[in-house]
Amino acid sequence: MDAAVGLVPDGVKLGIGGVLLRRKPIAFLEALADAGRRDLRLFSFLASLDVELLVRRGVVAEVHAGYVGFEQLGFAPAYSAAVADGSVRAHEHSELLFVTGLRASLAGLPFLPTRGARGSDLVAELGIEEIACPYSGERLLAAPAIRPDVCIVHAEAADEQGNVLAPATRDFLFDADQTLARASERVVVTVERLVPTDELRGSALLFSYEVD
């Protein structure tokens, strides 16, 4: 864990895997806070305990997310208070804007066109520019690429080479972790257990060459 935490310096753009209350890398985030990191810029598609934990520990400068909260249990209190008092900057994205930004990074492009968030205040708040489709003339939003410096993903299992097992149940947005990892400069994965490579055949979420 110390070696993995060492890949995350102060001020880094940190992508955090998991969706809502699923697959959040809590042990890694606790270790990161214990190491005294500061001014982290977090990117979490649909956030919950991940952002709340780091905000409570005072290590966060800004958060980019489509949502931060605990679903039926309500919003995240420490995060909400930090945004209200100005100690943490919040950058709210629509889900489609966030995913389109990751896909732009995957494609090696500075932006990708999308209709996501059209008509909402998010467009002005995030400074999203419009472009015209060269074929139809339709006005589209140019979602800027999202490329975290490091991302942390939690999974059930991996082998010793770093091949990561996909979820046994292809639950809600299971592939969001794969997209986030492949859009990031460096990738850290924590798992519940190490398994023989044979257990991963045909069901890998990430391959060893994609994991730092």
Side-chain angles (χ1 to χ4, degrees), residues 3-208:
V5 166
L7 296 175
V8 184
D10 290 347
V12 80
K13 290 187 291 184
L14 178 65
I16 304 175
V19 174
L20 297 173
L21 295 172
R22 297 181 173 92
R23 302 187 307 278
K24 292 298 183 181
I26 299 304
F28 180 89
L29 299 178
E30 287 276 18
L32 196 63
D34 289 343
R37 293 297 185 271
R38 290 291 180 268
D39 299 324
L40 299 179
R41 293 173 287 165
L42 307 182
F43 290 80
S44 183
F45 176 47
L46 295 173
S48 59
L49 192 59
D50 50 346
V51 167
E52 181 75 351
L53 184 158
L54 292 178
V55 168
R56 285 189 67 88
R57 297 292 298 272
V59 305
V60 178
E62 62 186 44
V63 174
H64 299 254
Y67 166 85
V68 183
F70 300 101
E71 302 182 81
Q72 69 272 20
L73 301 179
F75 290 112
Y79 171 74
S80 298
V83 172
D85 68 22
S87 58
V88 170
R89 297 184 299 278
H91 301 273
E92 183 180 355
H93 297 249
S94 74
E95 294 180 24
L96 193 52
L97 271 180
F98 195 97
V99 171
T100 304
L102 293 177
R103 288 174 176 164
S105 178
L106 276 171
L109 296 171
F111 72 91
L112 276 180
T114 182
R115 298 184 181 93
R118 177 188 283 168
S120 80
D121 291 340
L122 295 179
V123 176
E125 290 176 8
L126 293 171
I128 305 294
E129 299 289 343
E130 279 194 351
I131 58 170
C133 172
Y135 304 106
S136 67
E138 180 184 0
R139 303 296 296 179
L140 299 167
L141 299 175
I146 295 174
R147 189 161 185 81
D149 301 313
V150 184
C151 88
I152 170 66
V153 169
H154 187 72
E156 178 187 348
D159 67 11
E160 291 187 353
Q161 286 71 49
N163 298 296
V164 182
L165 182 69
T169 301
R170 302 303 170 94
D171 59 359
F172 177 60
L173 294 172
F174 82 94
D175 57 341
D177 293 348
Q178 186 181 70
T179 303
L180 176 67
R182 291 176 173 168
S184 301
E185 292 283 353
R186 307 189 80 175
V187 179
V188 176
V189 180
T190 57
V191 296
E192 301 293 330
R193 59 195 177 94
L194 293 177
V195 298
T197 302
D198 285 347
E199 288 194 28
L200 277 69
R201 296 196 188 282
S203 59
L205 182 76
L206 295 168
F207 298 100
S208 58

